[in-house]
């Protein structure tokens, strides 16, 4: 019998449950992301999309289940993954330049105590050029527009030279030109055989951007090729009011924790 | 005030204050360096909880050492006690944060006040220990430079040098932790341990500074230099150097003053010195100071006023000469009243603009009172008017703004258009000719 989550999948999630303060935000998530896919994770607010990424990256504790990267737990596969967090997750008033932030993507390879040299800076500059803002390398990050800040984060992921890219809402609140530049970049990465997994919120662009789709609302509603998964019925299941019961039970569990 | 004595103290010529001044200046430098990271990690309050939590440790260490028949005021012993309860305080904050739903500030407030209260109570109790004088222990609360002696000097400078060296080694790691700890964690950096190391460095500086600055004010010594430094720069590297320097200078001046006036609490003088530097930085700081920002604003206002004056003059010239017939525009004098009515300027305002334009050699006033653009002013006016119209056309074409509204919208942006953007506008609108007609009635 074939295993349920064979190791050829860049990301295989098995029975993953995550709770914040005992309130479950993800229930028994089970999915496989195919290699070389450009995958989108779509669902309503509070569906646990970012939580799923963070749980796969060991950033938050899980209640049960596991996420495997090519068949192995994440701590053994760190070099394979580049993570682009939500733009609001950091303080953009921090006293560093765009180039400094991108250089941070090289720290892991550089190792403890080593000083940053011109080799790392050169690599970072190339990544900034690649995302089209090479001329802003020396600009302090608070003086960048939202779209430019997002590109800085992308460049930081690019210098890691990973196989799998985890992106948390890269298109949130960016200008149209940046959106085009980002999707082009993702498609280029995809063409090189890399796997891209994107939390996304705009249903209108789903079928144009992604070839594989995960519909999520606390659990996986549907997962598969976009052409088959992106249906009216599945969307209704994801966004419709049929999950009220699940939400109610979650609230009960939370209250038990309180009393 | 004995100025000669002050000068000698500041220049380290006074033998009995030299050590004190050097060690407090070093303390300030290290505090500024570590404090920068504490501030950027947004954990200033945790540092405050830590310093207040050291007090019970001092009292307990005193009692224990007295009970063992040692001198109760052995400095390494007292500081060890301070470190232990200080760290206990931090651990308690973290435990409260994890196990209850209390917010950070509440957790820190509780730990800070409970430990400090406990410390005051213990200090009162140990005063009754027979055969030991606890006098001077309260210098740990307010700070007293007079109590630093030669044997303490090695302990202080040694600890500070080790702390500074550790910070330099970990510059890159600490920066990453402070900027984006989640990202650091996905990259395999042990963020929990980095946080612990940062707190350990803060603890070292806090404990070693207790004697000179006191536990109430040591947090100001950690936080004031980096906040002041931030006004001068947007670059972390520069910020670290400036914070180190500000810390050292405040320590140096503050310790010198307090050595001369030993009845004043040293901590207060040192922190007030740092606060004065902070105030100066807030006002004059090159990058974020209030005054440079105001001056930049004023400069932009002047530029806008000048551009409005020149464009108005140019528009009047066009209107009066019926510019449509392609004859080159002649630079003729204009009555001041006509110019004033063109933009509904107040009289005083217009006179001020004209005075400015005259000093910039853009406009000349004729003996009759009429105004005439100078040669350079005429060229500048033509360029400004053209930019204004380019932007107006762009707004009409690409932003769907009605021609009757576009003048006001363009007014706000045109002053910021650089040569590069103007070139892009020309390309987008396929307009390169020198003269552009206004898209609306002037």
């Amino acid at each position: 019998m074939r295993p349920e989550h064979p190791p050829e999948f860049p990301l295989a999630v098995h029975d993953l449950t995550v709770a914040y303060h005992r309130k479950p935000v993800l229930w028994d998530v089970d999915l496989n992301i195919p290699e070389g896919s450009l995958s989108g994770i779509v669902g309503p607010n509070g569906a646990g999309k970012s939580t799923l990424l963070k749980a796969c990256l060991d950033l938050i504790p899980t209640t049960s289940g596991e996420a495997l990267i090519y068949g192995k737990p994440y701590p053994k596969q760190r070099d394979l993954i580049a993570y682009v967090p939500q733009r609001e997750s950091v303080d953009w008033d921090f006293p560093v330049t765009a180039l400094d932030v991108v250089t941070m993507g090289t720290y892991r390879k550089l190792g403890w105590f080593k000083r940053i040299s011109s080799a790392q800076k050169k690599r970072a500059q190339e990544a900034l050029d690649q995302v089209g803002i090479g001329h802003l390398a020396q600009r302090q990050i608070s003086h960048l527009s939202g779209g430019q800040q997002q590109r800085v984060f992308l460049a930081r992921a690019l210098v890691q030279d990973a196989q799998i890219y985890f992106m948390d809402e890269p298109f949130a609140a960016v200008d149209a030109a940046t959106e085009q530049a980002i999707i082009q970049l993702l498609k280029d990465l995809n063409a090189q055989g890399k796997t891209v997994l994107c939390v996304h919120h705009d249903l209108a662009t789903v079928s144009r951007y992604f070839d594989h789709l995960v519909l999520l609302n606390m659990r996986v509603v549907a997962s598969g090729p976009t052409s088959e998964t992106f249906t009216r019925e599945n969307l209704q299941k994801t966004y419709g009011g049929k999950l009220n019961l699940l939400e109610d039970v979650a609230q009960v569990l939370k209250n038990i924790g309180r009393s | 005030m004995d100025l000669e004595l002050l000068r000698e103290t500041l220049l380290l010529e006074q033998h009995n204050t030299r050590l004190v001044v050097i060690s407090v200046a070093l303390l300030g430098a290290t505090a500024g360096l570590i404090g920068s990271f504490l501030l950027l990690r947004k954990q200033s309050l945790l540092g405050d909880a830590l310093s207040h939590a050291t007090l019970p440790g001092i009292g307990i260490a005193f009692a224990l050492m007295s009970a063992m028949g040692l001198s109760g005021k052995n400095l390494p012993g007292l500081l060890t006690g301070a470190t232990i309860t200080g760290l206990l305080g931090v651990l308690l904050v973290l435990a409260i944060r994890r196990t209850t739903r209390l917010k950070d500030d509440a957790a820190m407030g509780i730990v800070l006040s409970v430990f400090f209260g406990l410390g005051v109570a213990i200090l009162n109790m140990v005063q009754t220990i027979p055969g030991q004088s606890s006098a001077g222990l309260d210098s740990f609360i307010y700070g007293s430079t007079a109590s630093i002696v030669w044997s303490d000097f090695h302990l202080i400078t040694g600890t500070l040098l080790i702390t500074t060296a550790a910070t330099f080694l970990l510059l890159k790691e600490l920066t990453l932790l402070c900027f984006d700890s989640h990202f650091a964690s996905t990259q395999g950096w042990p963020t929990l341990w980095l946080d612990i190391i940062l707190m350990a460095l803060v603890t070292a500086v806090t404990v070693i500074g207790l004697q000179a600055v006191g536990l109430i004010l040591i947090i100001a010594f950690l936080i004031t230099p980096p906040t002041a430094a931030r006004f001068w720069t947007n670059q972390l590297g520069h910020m670290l150097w400036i914070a180190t320097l500000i810390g050292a200078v405040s320590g140096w001046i503050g310790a010198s003053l307090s050595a001369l006036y030993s009845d004043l609490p040293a901590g207060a003088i040192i922190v007030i010195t740092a606060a004065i530097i902070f105030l100066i930085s807030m006002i004059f700081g090159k990058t974020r100071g209030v005054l440079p920002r105001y001056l930049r604003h004023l400069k932009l206002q002047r530029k806008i006023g000048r551009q409005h004056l020149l464009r108005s003059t140019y528009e009047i010239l066009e209107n009066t000469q019926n510019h449509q017939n392609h004859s080159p525009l002649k630079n003729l004098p204009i009555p001041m009243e006509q110019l004033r009515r063109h933009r509904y300027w107040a009289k005083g305002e217009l006179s001020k603009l004209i005075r400015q334009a005259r000093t910039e050699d853009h406009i000349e006033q004729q003996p009759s009172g009429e105004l005439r653009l100078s040669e350079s002013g005429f060229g500048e006016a033509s360029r400004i008017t053209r930019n204004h119209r380019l932007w107006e056309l762009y707004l009409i074409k690409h932003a769907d703004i009605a021609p009757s509204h576009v003048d006001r919208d363009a007014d706000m942006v045109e002053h910021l258009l650089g040569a590069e953007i103007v070139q892009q506008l020309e390309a987008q609108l396929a307009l390169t000719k020198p003269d552009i007609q206004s898209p609306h009635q002037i």
Side-chain angles (χ1 to χ4, degrees):
Chain A
M1 202 182 92
R2 265 171 69 81
E4 211 180 334
H5 299 290
E8 66 260 26
F9 283 110
L11 173 66
V13 180
H14 178 63
D15 258 357
L16 187 76
T17 299
V18 178
Y20 276 133
H21 288 298
R22 285 175 188 246
K23 184 186 174 185
V25 277
L26 286 177
W27 296 81
D28 284 342
V29 170
D30 215 273
L31 50 84
N32 289 328
I33 299 296
E35 185 168 38
S37 69
L38 184 43
S39 297
I41 303 179
V42 173
N45 283 333
K49 304 182 295 275
S50 301
T51 308
L52 177 58
L53 286 196
K54 285 181 190 157
C56 293
L57 296 171
D58 273 359
L59 286 175
I60 48 175
T62 57
T63 310
S64 68
E66 59 177 352
L68 296 175
I69 309 297
Y70 284 115
K72 287 185 195 147
Y74 175 60
K76 290 189 176 160
Q77 304 280 49
R78 284 187 203 280
D79 286 326
L80 297 183
I81 294 192
Y83 171 51
V84 179
Q86 276 183 28
R87 187 156 52 81
E88 303 84 55
S89 65
V90 301
D91 173 13
W92 289 94
D93 210 24
F94 204 84
V96 285
T97 62
L99 191 74
D100 293 335
V101 174
V102 179
T103 311
M104 290 178 187
T106 66
Y107 285 6
R108 177 172 164 75
K109 280 202 187 100
L110 198 57
W112 285 93
F113 312 127
K114 296 238 179 62
R115 289 273 164 260
I116 302 148
S117 72
S118 56
Q120 279 81 36
K121 293 210 162 157
K122 186 165 161 275
R123 183 74 199 84
Q125 180 65 50
E126 283 165 8
L128 277 172
D129 290 336
Q130 211 177 332
V131 297
I133 52 166
H135 58 295
L136 302 175
Q138 293 307 325
R139 193 168 286 190
Q140 202 260 326
I141 52 173
S142 67
H143 295 162
L144 298 170
S145 73
Q148 289 162 347
Q149 291 174 345
Q150 190 66 58
R151 290 182 198 220
V152 169
F153 264 7
L154 277 173
R156 186 178 66 175
L158 287 179
V159 295
Q160 293 172 48
D161 203 16
Q163 287 304 311
I164 312 168
Y165 289 79
F166 277 28
M167 308 202 171
D168 202 344
E169 303 245 15
F171 303 109
V174 301
D175 54 283
T178 301
E179 176 147 357
Q180 285 316 305
I182 294 176
I183 193 66
Q184 191 51 51
L185 192 75
L186 299 192
K187 293 201 160 153
D188 290 348
L189 287 171
N190 203 223
Q192 296 165 30
K194 315 217 165 178
T195 309
V196 180
L197 182 60
C198 247
V199 170
H200 193 56
H201 64 284
D202 180 17
L203 288 177
T205 47
V206 164
S207 44
R208 254 187 301 140
Y209 288 180
F210 305 109
D211 54 32
H212 187 93
L213 188 65
V214 178
L215 288 168
L216 191 78
N217 191 354
M218 298 176 77
R219 65 198 170 95
V220 176
V221 177
S223 168
T226 309
S227 51
E228 295 165 22
T229 317
F230 196 58
T231 61
R232 173 176 283 275
E233 199 196 342
N234 278 339
L235 284 177
Q236 205 126 41
K237 275 194 211 157
T238 315
Y239 287 85
K242 288 184 183 165
L243 289 165
N244 282 346
L245 193 61
L246 215 54
E247 179 65 33
D248 286 349
V249 174
Q251 192 59 44
V252 170
L253 287 173
K254 189 181 171 192
N255 290 342
I256 289 171
R258 260 197 195 136
S259 54
Chain B
M1 180 163 174
D2 191 340
L3 281 177
E4 181 57 22
L5 197 59
L6 177 64
R7 189 190 66 81
E8 285 178 4
T9 311
L10 281 173
L11 296 180
L12 308 176
E13 285 166 10
Q14 279 280 330
H15 180 69
N16 43 354
T17 55
R18 190 183 297 158
L19 281 185
V20 172
V21 174
I22 291 179
S23 49
V24 179
L26 276 176
L27 172 70
T30 317
L33 182 66
I34 311 278
S36 300
F37 288 107
L38 186 67
L39 180 78
L40 291 172
R41 187 76 181 117
K42 302 190 168 61
Q43 295 289 2
S44 317
L45 258 180
L46 194 59
D48 205 19
L50 168 82
S51 64
H52 280 77
T54 56
L55 191 57
I58 292 169
I60 293 169
F62 178 80
L64 280 180
M65 288 189 293
S66 303
M68 289 189 292
L70 304 165
S71 157
K73 288 205 210 132
N74 175 280
L75 187 67
L78 291 176
L79 295 188
T80 310
T83 310
I84 292 172
T85 53
L87 289 177
L88 264 179
V90 172
L91 283 178
L92 198 60
V93 171
L94 299 180
I96 294 176
R97 201 188 276 177
R98 280 209 161 201
T99 53
T100 71
R101 279 157 192 270
L102 284 179
K103 296 280 174 285
D104 269 15
D105 53 343
M108 289 184 232
I110 291 166
V111 169
L112 185 151
S113 44
V114 168
F115 272 73
F116 186 64
L118 206 64
V120 172
I122 293 175
L123 278 200
N124 267 314
M125 283 191 268
V126 298
Q127 274 175 358
T128 59
I129 294 177
Q132 289 274 359
S133 157
S134 69
L137 278 193
D138 55 350
S139 76
F140 285 101
I141 302 180
Y142 299 113
S144 154
T145 44
S147 59
I148 298 176
V149 293
W150 174 248
S151 60
D152 304 339
F153 184 69
H154 292 111
L155 178 67
I156 295 177
T157 48
T159 312
L160 293 177
L161 286 179
I162 292 172
T163 320
T164 310
T167 314
F168 265 103
L169 267 181
L170 290 167
L171 274 185
K172 155 176 126 267
E173 288 78 4
L174 290 176
T175 309
L176 184 62
L177 173 78
C178 294
F179 176 64
D180 194 348
S181 62
H182 267 174
F183 178 78
S185 169
T186 64
Q187 291 288 288
W189 297 100
T191 47
L192 179 66
W193 280 105
L194 284 172
D195 263 327
I196 290 173
I197 291 170
L198 177 59
M199 273 334 277
L201 296 174
V202 171
T203 310
V205 175
T206 306
V207 168
I208 216 70
L210 284 182
Q211 206 184 6
V213 189
L215 61 91
I216 296 185
L217 291 173
I218 187 81
I219 188 67
F221 213 20
L222 281 160
I223 296 305
T224 318
T227 32
R230 192 69 182 82
F231 286 109
W232 295 96
T233 178
N234 270 332
Q235 276 189 301
L236 184 64
H238 296 166
M239 177 177 156
L240 294 177
W241 279 115
I242 297 170
T244 307
L245 191 72
I246 291 177
V249 169
S250 350
W252 175 45
I253 296 177
S256 304
L257 286 174
S258 88
L260 288 180
Y261 303 97
S262 53
D263 44 341
L264 292 177
I269 296 181
I270 292 170
V271 170
I272 288 171
T273 314
I276 291 172
I277 300 182
F278 171 81
L279 210 66
I280 294 171
S281 306
M282 191 179 83
I283 297 172
F284 298 103
K286 197 172 91 188
T287 326
R288 304 186 143 206
V290 176
L291 194 66
R293 267 197 0 226
Y294 177 70
L295 288 178
R296 280 196 289 271
H297 176 74
L298 216 62
K299 203 174 150 198
L300 181 67
Q301 288 298 319
R302 281 178 68 144
K303 183 177 163 193
I304 290 174
R306 181 188 71 205
Q307 296 198 346
H308 281 163
L309 179 74
L310 293 179
R311 179 157 60 84
S312 299
T313 319
Y314 196 82
E315 283 168 356
I316 293 173
L317 287 176
E318 282 181 331
N319 281 353
T320 49
Q321 293 176 39
N322 191 12
H323 190 42
Q324 266 79 348
N325 58 14
H326 297 290
S327 60
L329 198 63
K330 284 197 279 291
N331 184 11
L332 301 172
I334 303 170
M336 191 148 151
E337 190 54 25
Q338 192 181 2
L339 189 61
R340 198 174 73 75
R341 264 183 284 121
H342 189 77
R343 271 192 89 92
Y344 310 104
W345 268 305
K347 257 196 184 124
E349 200 185 346
L350 182 59
S351 317
K352 202 174 119 196
L353 286 176
I354 292 172
R355 263 202 312 280
Q356 264 172 35
R358 276 171 65 184
T359 56
E360 280 157 352
D361 200 25
H362 280 144
I363 224 163
E364 297 155 0
Q365 199 152 20
Q366 310 260 319
S368 62
E370 289 189 316
L371 297 164
R372 187 169 174 274
L373 289 169
S374 70
E375 205 179 305
S376 67
F378 188 70
E380 184 71 359
S382 138
R383 185 185 70 84
I384 290 164
T385 312
R386 183 167 183 275
N387 283 357
H388 176 76
R389 289 179 187 164
L390 270 174
W391 186 242
E392 282 183 333
L393 287 170
Y394 179 78
L395 286 179
I396 293 171
K397 196 168 166 192
H398 295 282
D400 271 336
I401 295 175
S404 54
H405 285 59
V406 87
D407 190 31
R408 170 82 54 85
D409 292 328
D411 243 17
M412 292 185 282
V413 182
E414 63 186 27
H415 313 287
L416 310 170
L417 298 181
E420 200 180 318
I421 297 184
V422 169
Q423 267 179 18
Q424 283 180 26
L425 281 175
E426 287 172 343
Q428 289 233 357
L429 295 163
L431 268 175
T432 45
K433 57 182 182 177
D435 272 356
I436 299 174
Q437 300 238 333
S438 176
H440 56 86
Q441 277 282 317
I442 296 169

